[in-house]
Amino acid sequence: MSIQTRSAALAGAVLFTLGAINADAAESGFFMGGSIGTAAVEANVNDGIVLPDPAPIFDENDFGWKFLAGYDFALSDTFSLGIEGGYVDLGSPSADVVTVPVSLDPTGLNLYGTAGVDIGPVGLFAKYGFVDWEVDGNIGGIDFKDDGNDPAYGLGVRFNLGSVEIRGEYEIFDISDVEDVTLLSAGIVVRF
């Protein structure tokens, strides 16, 4: 077999595979998966205790993870809308802030509306919704618990391999009274 024949056969196989992957990516259907990554929490710790002005900031990262499930509605070969919900664990960051030990254990349930664009096996997506969060914590030996509902949103990129999707995303949980809560993660989603 000549080099041109092998090259043509290889190019045909690649195009066929990319077409099959793209067809799977554009279909409507259920999905579920999980991600792991880095959770970042930045918060003012001057609530309820006397600390110097300006108020010190708790700014720590920890291992975070999430489980997600949802449904995508393919509106065309490249554009989809969907709904996604899940559970997120933002780790257990802890640190001393001006010699006061602070530890937090934030978790939440989230629900998003999503929009995605697929170009071949690669896609981009955005999501907007809310997080129902809860945090157990300790500041200077005093335990506390807090909860609430706040907006959440994110951006991501995905690579489709048939019914499996590899994704990376950045989510922001816009929790009131907290400076910044984010999750940068990578994960796998399986489509049914």
Side-chain angles (χ1 to χ4, degrees):
M1 188 184 291
S2 71
I3 292 177
Q4 290 85 5
T5 307
R6 280 190 234 158
S7 297
L10 180 59
V14 167
L15 290 174
F16 177 78
T17 302
L18 288 177
I21 290 171
N22 189 34
D24 286 344
E27 292 180 4
S28 296
F30 288 101
F31 62 88
M32 63 186 309
S35 296
I36 59 173
T38 300
V41 178
E42 183 178 333
N44 177 336
V45 295
N46 212 17
D47 282 343
I49 58 175
V50 178
L51 292 173
D53 260 348
I57 298 293
F58 175 86
D59 187 3
E60 291 296 316
N61 298 336
D62 200 14
F63 175 79
W65 61 273
K66 68 178 183 170
F67 169 78
L68 58 104
Y71 192 89
D72 274 336
F73 302 92
L75 302 179
S76 71
D77 289 341
T78 59
F79 186 69
S80 65
L81 294 176
I83 187 165
E84 177 183 308
Y87 173 82
V88 62
D89 186 319
L90 298 168
S92 299
S94 62
D96 286 348
V97 179
V98 190
T99 70
V100 176
V102 177
S103 63
L104 304 173
D105 188 11
T107 59
L109 296 172
N110 53 46
L111 184 64
Y112 294 108
T114 64
V117 175
D118 291 319
I119 303 165
V122 178
L124 301 174
F125 62 93
K127 53 189 182 179
Y128 184 82
F130 73 92
V131 61
D132 181 24
W133 57 270
E134 179 176 294
V135 63
D136 293 319
N138 184 293
I139 298 177
I142 301 169
D143 289 330
F144 71 92
K145 181 176 247 173
D146 199 4
D147 59 20
N149 295 294
D150 286 293
Y153 41 93
L155 295 170
V157 62
R158 58 189 174 204
F159 186 74
N160 296 295
L161 299 168
S163 62
V164 176
E165 173 182 293
I166 299 169
R167 64 164 55 182
E169 60 188 299
Y170 183 70
E171 293 170 279
I172 298 170
F173 305 98
D174 196 7
I175 296 173
S176 58
D177 300 329
V178 176
E179 301 296 322
D180 199 17
V181 179
T182 61
L183 178 64
L184 178 63
S185 65
I188 295 177
V189 168
V190 177
R191 297 187 174 275
F192 303 97

